[in-house]
Amino acid sequence: MKIPFSDQAYDRMLASLFVRYPSFGSVGAGAYKPGLERMREMCRRMGDPQTKFRSIHVAGTNGKGSTCNMLAADFAASGLKTGLYTSPHILDFRERARIIETDRERAGRGESQVTLIPREAVWDFIQSHNGDIEELNLSFFEITTAMAFDWFASCNVDIAVIETGLGGRLDATNVITPELSVITNIGYDHMDLLGPTLSDIAGEKAGIIKPGVPVVIGESGPESDPVFTRRAASLSSPLTFTDAGGFTALPQDARTPIAGAIGPSHCFAAGRCSENIQIEKSGPSIRPGVASGFTESICMLSARAEGLEPAVARVQSDSMAYLTTRCDSEADQTIFRGGRFQTKRSGVPGTGAPGEKSFRSASDSSGTAEGLDLKGSYQAKNLNTVLTALKVLGREPDMAAISHAAAICHFHGRWETLLESPKTICDIGHNEHGLKYNFRQLDDLLDNGTYTDLVMVYGSVKDKDVDAVLKILPQRAHIIFTAADNHRAMPAGELLRRAAHKDAEIGGSVSESVRKALDRCKALEANAGRNGTLAKPLLYIGGSTYVVSEAVAYMNGDRNNKQ
């Protein structure tokens, strides 16, 4: 017998859910259940809701959430009813599953209708599927993923942007077959679960690449690139590296326009050559008809289509090539398209094949995060990844919508201003790969005189490479170490001991630490005023999603917020 819904019953059920099926955020690796068998069976029992809407799949070490929200803002602005599944949440569990609806005009003003999965929908899902959840012994993340898929399908979303939880290959979200896979970047994080090297981590993230489905890589790397190119080649999946020219060679008919860039191209390793392309072997492991397996630094590709001269592929690493050819003009470039080589004039509109558009390389698209309401300097990389992804999908980016992504999607915790006086910013960046950009931006704000003093509230969880982060902390900051109300949190005293920072002081909890930090900022301003000088302190809160979550709750006056 189902228990009737009430807010009180919902709160009790949700608290019980966190206890019975603890999240990764609560207990760490103990909540991680790799493998897709349970999730596939759960989806089968629900009628495979994940097959009832189009999807985009996003993985990566950092930038997944921002990338997902920018993509969702663009889709919604074109009138698509857009589902958005991300994690973790900041204040409300229901933030994980959202539906965004707007139009181009409203999106340009940062306006939209955002619907969090309703409490009643969460309640009904758990009530209806409690037996399946227990029988299959689902993890917390598997439950929330299944719930999101079910809700998106029931609401008839046009498309959903799905963020992986951890890794990719064995992640619960990896039961979808998306229209595009995106891997933002590869850095050191969760090495105990994903492997000790960047190649290992890339291998897990590359698991989201599906046969024939285009994939965009946000940031190249010498250890990760060969992993992605091999995986893409084995599955004939069109591959684009955003920061290496932004061009993708899609295995489709050459008459179909491709939303890629023109110029010295990052060659798609898995592009299958048509019969009129002959690969002249200059190294082992090159299979006839397949542009992959290059092991020598130079190989010759003879283009017998379009009357082109032989082209030379200069291979930078395992099966990645920059393609050039001898043309009538130095401005002409040869690109591999639809199994054929074609020539276009780089940077000159209207000189391509009939009916095709000219596109800039993603590396030329914006290049900065200026104008975005996602203010972190690291958003420039995410922006270029988003622009490349949209071009691969054949969409003209709606920059007005993308620039208002945080407002449109009600997205929080990414270089977000919580208070104007003193200026208080929070960011959930939590590993060295992501925090180096934050800390560099903080140093720049001091260097250029925007702020005179920096006060930081910093906390971390135990399973992060804390020492690597402590080494790059801004040296001019007044640091208040803290520990979130979470048993994964590293004690503030341990952080202080490791940092050995002369200006540090320990906060017993985030609430007290935020108050201390605010008091310190005010004291800096007051002391400067008494001395006849000017102080403009900046307060930065971060190091952990849970520190940010509790700080946001405190700033909102809800000191007792837990989930």
Side-chain angles (χ1 to χ4, degrees):
M1 178 178 176
K2 290 186 178 180
I3 302 172
F5 171 83
S6 69
D7 287 336
Q8 294 79 9
Y10 169 85
D11 290 337
R12 289 194 298 269
M13 181 271 291
L14 191 61
S16 174
L17 187 69
F18 275 94
V19 173
R20 289 166 58 201
Y21 308 98
S23 67
F24 187 91
S26 299
V27 301
Y32 182 54
K33 292 184 178 181
L36 298 178
E37 297 80 7
R38 295 178 305 276
M39 190 64 191
R40 288 187 178 127
E41 176 59 19
M42 182 64 180
C43 287
R44 185 192 68 78
R45 296 184 185 189
M46 296 190 302
D48 286 315
Q50 79 282 4
T51 66
K52 298 176 182 176
F53 50 83
R54 298 154 57 199
S55 60
I56 307 296
H57 205 187
V58 181
T61 300
N62 291 302
K64 299 188 296 294
S66 297
T67 298
C68 286
N69 278 265
M70 283 191 259
L71 287 170
D74 182 275
F75 296 148
S78 67
L80 295 175
K81 188 177 185 179
T82 304
L84 181 58
Y85 180 62
T86 59
S87 60
H89 59 276
I90 300 296
L91 291 177
D92 191 327
F93 164 78
R94 300 180 302 129
E95 296 167 19
R96 294 169 178 252
R98 286 168 278 165
I99 293 177
I100 294 91
E101 296 175 273
T102 187
D103 55 44
R104 198 170 302 279
E105 182 179 347
R106 291 165 61 209
R109 300 192 299 266
E111 299 174 0
S112 65
Q113 176 182 323
V114 177
T115 305
L116 305 186
I117 183 171
R119 286 179 160 222
E120 292 85 352
V122 176
W123 173 267
D124 289 343
F125 181 86
I126 299 299
Q127 290 274 300
S128 300
H129 297 285
N130 189 57
D132 295 324
I133 291 170
E134 290 190 353
E135 180 184 342
L136 296 174
N137 192 26
L138 298 184
S139 69
F140 177 87
F141 190 72
E142 287 169 334
I143 295 169
T144 60
T145 302
M147 184 187 303
F149 290 169
D150 184 66
W151 184 54
F152 290 156
S154 69
C155 293
N156 297 313
V157 300
D158 296 307
I159 193 167
V161 184
I162 308 296
E163 178 190 5
T164 59
L166 194 153
R169 181 176 65 94
L170 301 176
D171 188 77
T173 62
N174 205 27
V175 296
I176 63 174
T177 300
E179 295 191 355
L180 176 71
S181 302
V182 178
I183 302 174
T184 57
N185 49 55
I186 299 298
Y188 287 109
D189 202 10
H190 301 298
M191 288 89 80
D192 55 331
L193 300 174
L194 304 181
T197 70
L198 293 178
S199 294
D200 292 330
I201 296 169
E204 292 299 316
K205 310 286 187 184
I208 72 167
I209 301 174
K210 302 295 194 305
V213 175
V215 56
V216 168
I217 308 299
E219 295 181 34
S220 297
E223 293 184 56
S224 58
D225 286 359
V227 176
F228 296 139
T229 53
R230 283 194 296 266
R231 172 75 175 175
S234 70
L235 297 175
S236 298
S237 301
L239 176 65
T240 303
F241 286 83
T242 296
D243 58 0
F247 175 74
T248 182
L250 301 177
Q252 56 182 297
D253 190 280
R255 292 171 297 178
T256 303
I258 291 178
I262 306 164
S265 303
H266 204 80
C267 181
F268 167 45
R272 294 192 174 275
C273 304
S274 62
E275 292 181 359
N276 58 10
I277 301 297
Q278 173 187 348
I279 297 179
E280 297 179 356
K281 186 174 180 179
S282 68
S285 304
I286 300 180
R287 304 192 304 274
V290 181
S292 65
F294 302 142
T295 56
E296 297 289 326
S297 59
I298 297 292
C299 67
M300 297 299 296
L301 302 180
S302 295
R304 299 221 171 109
E306 312 294 333
L308 301 179
E309 293 291 328
V312 178
R314 292 183 173 83
V315 180
Q316 301 299 306
S317 61
D318 192 12
S319 50
M320 290 184 300
Y322 287 92
L323 196 62
T324 62
T325 187
R326 291 189 292 276
C327 301
D328 293 336
S329 167
E330 291 183 359
D332 290 343
Q333 299 293 339
T334 294
I335 57 178
F336 182 71
R337 172 167 293 187
R340 303 163 62 194
F341 286 100
Q342 297 178 353
T343 299
K344 284 191 174 183
R345 182 157 298 174
S346 179
V348 182
T351 56
E356 293 186 343
K357 295 180 179 180
S358 294
F359 291 91
R360 295 179 300 168
S361 165
S363 59
D364 296 328
S365 304
S366 176
T368 72
E370 184 178 354
L372 300 184
D373 62 359
L374 292 167
K375 295 298 185 182
S377 61
Y378 56 84
Q379 296 295 355
K381 292 179 178 291
N382 296 329
L383 174 60
N384 279 345
T385 301
V386 167
L387 295 179
T388 303
L390 293 172
K391 289 178 181 180
V392 169
L393 290 169
R395 296 176 60 89
E396 283 291 334
D398 187 327
M399 288 307 302
I402 292 170
S403 68
H404 290 97
I408 290 170
C409 300
H410 295 187
F411 186 46
H412 301 288
R414 278 70 173 181
W415 206 264
E416 180 179 6
T417 297
L418 299 179
L419 192 66
E420 287 295 343
S421 182
K423 187 76 169 184
T424 302
I425 291 171
C426 69
D427 192 280
I428 66 168
H430 55 270
N431 53 45
E432 181 188 15
H433 183 268
L435 285 172
K436 65 183 179 183
Y437 296 104
N438 288 2
F439 295 164
R440 188 179 306 149
Q441 188 168 356
L442 292 172
D443 278 332
D444 288 344
L445 290 171
L446 293 178
D447 289 340
N448 64 26
T450 303
Y451 298 96
T452 58
D453 298 272
L454 172 62
V455 178
M456 293 181 64
V457 174
Y458 178 83
S460 181
V461 293
K462 299 172 185 175
D463 51 9
K464 297 299 178 186
D465 188 356
V466 174
D467 291 331
V469 174
L470 293 177
K471 289 178 182 178
I472 62 172
L473 282 172
Q475 293 299 305
R476 290 171 287 177
H478 306 274
I479 300 176
I480 300 173
F481 293 105
T482 190
D485 184 15
N486 183 303
H487 76 265
R488 285 180 64 207
M490 178 170 287
E494 175 66 9
L495 282 171
L496 174 60
R497 185 189 67 78
R498 293 196 185 194
H501 194 294
K502 65 180 181 180
D503 287 330
E505 63 179 68
I506 300 172
S509 71
V510 167
S511 294
E512 292 177 3
S513 293
V514 171
R515 187 184 302 113
K516 286 184 178 181
L518 289 170
D519 289 344
R520 172 169 282 197
C521 287
K522 292 174 182 176
L524 287 168
E525 291 177 318
N527 291 336
R530 283 193 292 269
N531 295 330
T533 59
L534 175 66
K536 294 174 58 182
L538 170 66
L539 173 57
Y540 173 91
I541 303 170
S544 162
T545 300
Y546 313 106
V547 167
V548 170
S549 176
E550 293 185 18
V552 171
Y554 172 77
M555 299 293 276
N556 288 337
D558 181 12
R559 304 185 189 184
N560 297 317
N561 180 77
K562 295 296 181 185
Q563 299 294 349

